[in-house]
Amino acid sequence: YALLTGKTPFEGNSPLQTATWILQREPTTPKKVNPEIPDPVEKVVLKLLAKKPDDRYQNAADVLGELEQMSLK
């Protein structure tokens, strides 16, 4: 997220506020910060940031596979 947008997904005024936002809020979509981000890349980033562990990639190989699929299109 930070690499693509230049920001962190949650920027509270204090560490406690940031931690609360991580637990309770969804991040601003990367494309709202940087409209040049391709849709498939945004999809990967948002899946990496999913609140529920079962909604995230289960390992780095899954992320790599998704990125490789993007490069084939």
Side-chain angles (χ1 to χ4, degrees), residues 4-60:
L4 296 169
T5 65
K7 299 180 177 206
T8 60
F10 302 97
E11 295 181 359
N13 293 325
S14 69
L16 180 58
Q17 184 180 49
T18 300
T20 301
W21 286 0
I22 289 169
L23 295 172
Q24 297 178 351
R25 295 183 176 191
E26 293 299 321
T28 300
T29 59
K31 284 187 78 139
K32 283 188 179 177
V33 181
N34 179 358
E36 295 182 20
I37 296 171
D39 290 338
V41 173
E42 180 177 65
K43 179 184 166 195
V44 169
V45 171
L46 292 175
K47 188 168 180 173
L48 288 164
L49 294 172
K51 300 285 183 210
K52 296 179 185 175
D54 289 343
D55 293 341
R56 295 183 215 134
Y57 295 101
Q58 297 305 300
N59 54 57

